[in-house]
Amino acid sequence: MSSVVVVGSQWGDEGKGKIVDWLADRADLVARFQGGHNAGHTIQTGDAVYKLSLLPSGVTRGTLSVIGNGVVIDPWALFEEIGRVGAQGLRITPEILRIAENATVILPFYAELDRARELARGKDAIGTTGRGIGIAYEDKVARRAIRVVDLTERETLTQKLGVLLHHHNALLRGHGQTEIDGDGLVERLLEMGAKLAPFVEATWDRVERAARQGKRILFEGAQGALLDVDHGTYPFVTSSNTVAGAAAVGSGLGPGSVGYILGITKAYTTRVGSGPFPTELTDAVGRGLGERGREFGTVTSRPRRCGWFDACLVRQTVRTGGIDGLALTKLDVLDGMDEVKICVAYEGPDGARYEHLPASMRLQAAVKPVYETLEGWRDSTRGGRSWVDLPAAAIKYVRRIEELVAAPVALLSTSPDRDDTIMVRDPYDD
């Protein structure tokens, strides 16, 4: 297969940045297909560390990169990011970055409204990043969104903005916020449209032609499958489809061309923000995982909640996402532990056993993990580049994960360094 889809198989923060960077070096095109600047991918290249949010990871390797129609774009955040990586010596030009003309725009007041709505929810807050991502997707579905192509057409923009502000100004009044001046916003958006114009095109055409020519395409997702608006722990989810099926819709390619689906999977489990987390550890073990794994959000810097590996959840995302193989990351964080645990099932409040996480909010909050305990390992796995470098107990742990989630480990990452990767199966050639 010439194309690979990379998705997170948990709640995000699985280490997609390194794996995408590793694969992007061999790709002809990298396409980002959903999410917004709430994503955070950290890529380490030699001594340089790049923190990306909107830019596809391919830009760090000089690979042609596309921001697809499924992404919601804050143009101001995009150019701030371009400037930031530019200061590190990474020059982003229209020759390397293309932006879908039919992608939805995040307007300047969305973030303020997003934060106001979260505050109004009080204890029921979802835990959004407050960047207006959800509002942009709401407007898109409600057919009132401003799209990238609109930013160069004054008449169209003025008409569409009038409809959009009729809705949002009513909400702003309800939250006690200042209403938006449409005339001033039109001028700001037209100015930004001129700045974006050299990067904009019908990216679906470029991606489809690349696929038809047999070029290697890497489809890059954001967040994780458990934050999918349909298949995640609703309502504590993001506002887009994060499973692999969204790669086709969010880039304009037919589903038969997306190729091998690689699920990035952390060797334990983390989550940022609110929502159910059956294997969460609030004790010294959980704190130790967070400290050794440096579990802080790339975008928000919020500490991540940590817990044991949940095979039920990953098995579920393997099935809903059609995942062909796993890229297992951060195995080295488990080094030095006397024992490690894997969640193999849940027990409900009525004593019932569940092999997957129920959709009910009540049950998601109430189920208790059923654990299987394995022997830990004292020797380090960090920097391993072949199976012979790993302790026998660590290999046993990896094999047990494969059995429980019904998917093979295709790649095993043993440190943030891109070369510290054991390739079991090449996703491009599978």
Side-chain angles (χ1 to χ4, degrees), residues 6 49 70 80 92 248-249 274 292 300 303 318 324 354 389 418:
V6 173
V49 177
E80 187 278 330
I92 308 298
V249 178
S274 305
R292 292 193 301 276
T300 64
V318 164
D324 296 301
Y354 296 91
D389 296 330
R418 72 190 304 269

Side-chain angles (χ1 to χ4, degrees), residues 201-235:
E201 68 175 19
T203 55
W204 64 266
D205 182 60
R206 182 181 291 270
V207 174
E208 191 277 334
R209 279 188 286 110
R212 192 159 19 94
Q213 292 165 8
K215 293 189 175 181
R216 287 181 167 180
I217 304 173
L218 184 60
F219 296 95
E220 179 183 6
Q223 291 87 41
L226 294 173
L227 293 175
D228 185 277
V229 70
D230 287 306
H231 300 289
T233 48
Y234 190 91

